[in-house]
Amino acid sequence: MDAFVVRLPKGQVPTPTRNKEKVYKQTTIESLRRVVVIEDIRRYKSMLEFPEQTKDDLLHALGELQKKMPSREVLKSTKIGHTVNKMRKNPDPEVSAMATQVYTEWRTFIEENSNKPSIEVHCDKQSEALRNNARKLMADALEMKADCSLIDNIEREVFHYSLRLVSTAYRRTIRALVFAFKHKPEVRSQLKDSTISVTQLVSSYKK
């Protein structure tokens, strides 16, 4: 039996050996760079175009856009290319540098892959109608136009938190926000003074 015993110096405690197994991460179709969810593109566009957007949210939106390679058709239909191009002139050097990087990568990709199609994922018409109604409810509560950048930004953030579904959670969050806009003056003033970001607002009222 001694042949199978490992003798250690006196006082030394043997350390257990662990089998190192490779951890594999499952790839989803949405994680592929050329699979573009139009709603996500429009959400990030809305974030970038919102005048009172925080630097962290601008960098987050640009970072997410950098993970995708939209086709020429998507760039034209969403005008996200124009928005990213404008961000290259942002006064913050970190934001402008990232915007330049994203814009350059996209332009190079289009030049090299102009004839290759990409996969686009669109929202259905019924969901769009329900979302437009949600925008109108929030706009009325804030006494704003439904197509203003703030309302668009809030609604897209709610939709994102609801896993891109007009679900019960989506409806409850919209109702909670509408109630807050109507009956909580402090929330209205926070939005007006930009003392709360859209991300923070939606996160605090999500259901």
Side-chain angles (χ1 to χ4, degrees):
M1 291 295 292
D2 286 349
F4 300 96
V5 176
V6 178
R7 299 187 183 278
L8 299 173
K10 191 175 182 180
Q12 185 174 340
V13 180
T15 56
T17 58
R18 295 180 181 177
N19 293 328
K20 292 184 179 179
E21 296 182 359
K22 255 189 175 180
V23 179
Y24 294 93
K25 185 178 180 181
Q26 185 176 1
T27 299
T28 62
I29 189 169
E30 289 183 14
S31 67
L32 301 175
R33 296 195 79 185
R34 298 205 62 185
V35 176
V36 178
V37 180
I38 300 299
E39 168 57 30
D40 287 347
I41 297 293
R42 287 175 176 157
R43 173 176 172 251
Y44 299 134
K45 182 175 184 287
S46 179
M47 290 174 70
L48 294 175
E49 292 179 345
F50 184 50
E52 286 78 30
Q53 195 62 269
T54 64
K55 175 183 174 179
D56 287 344
D57 283 342
L58 290 176
L59 291 174
H60 170 72
L62 288 168
E64 291 301 312
L65 287 170
Q66 192 174 26
K67 298 176 183 177
K68 293 297 179 180
M69 287 296 176
S71 65
R72 190 187 300 273
E73 289 72 23
V74 171
L75 292 175
K76 285 183 178 179
S77 64
T78 62
K79 300 188 185 302
I80 185 63
H82 293 291
T83 301
V84 173
N85 190 28
K86 287 181 181 178
M87 294 303 297
R88 297 165 67 189
K89 299 178 182 178
N90 190 280
D92 187 284
E94 193 174 353
V95 173
S96 61
M98 179 167 277
T100 299
Q101 188 175 357
V102 174
Y103 184 82
T104 303
E105 288 180 5
W106 283 1
R107 186 175 61 185
T108 302
F109 173 79
I110 292 297
E111 290 172 354
E112 295 177 352
N113 300 274
S114 58
N115 297 322
K116 296 180 181 178
S118 62
I119 300 175
E120 303 172 20
V121 182
H122 294 264
C123 194
D124 63 276
K125 291 183 179 179
Q126 184 180 2
S127 294
E128 281 295 342
L130 293 170
R131 294 178 64 193
N132 286 334
N133 184 58
R135 290 188 182 100
K136 185 178 183 304
L137 290 172
M138 290 190 292
D140 290 345
L142 285 172
E143 299 179 348
M144 293 180 172
K145 292 183 178 179
D147 60 351
C148 78
S149 60
L150 176 61
I151 298 299
D152 184 67
N153 209 249
I154 294 172
E155 190 282 327
R156 290 189 187 280
E157 199 65 22
V158 175
F159 193 60
H160 172 72
Y161 272 111
S162 305
L163 304 177
R164 295 197 297 266
L165 294 171
V166 183
S167 58
T168 301
Y170 173 89
R171 292 185 176 93
R172 285 177 177 173
T173 303
I174 293 294
R175 283 198 293 266
L177 286 168
V178 170
F179 182 87
F181 296 157
K182 285 183 176 180
H183 304 290
K184 294 183 178 181
E186 66 275 13
V187 175
R188 296 169 64 96
S189 63
Q190 284 177 331
L191 279 173
K192 185 178 179 180
D193 301 335
S194 301
T195 55
I196 185 173
S197 69
V198 171
T199 304
Q200 291 171 328
L201 172 73
V202 175
S203 180
S204 60
Y205 282 94
K206 67 177 181 178
K207 300 295 182 181

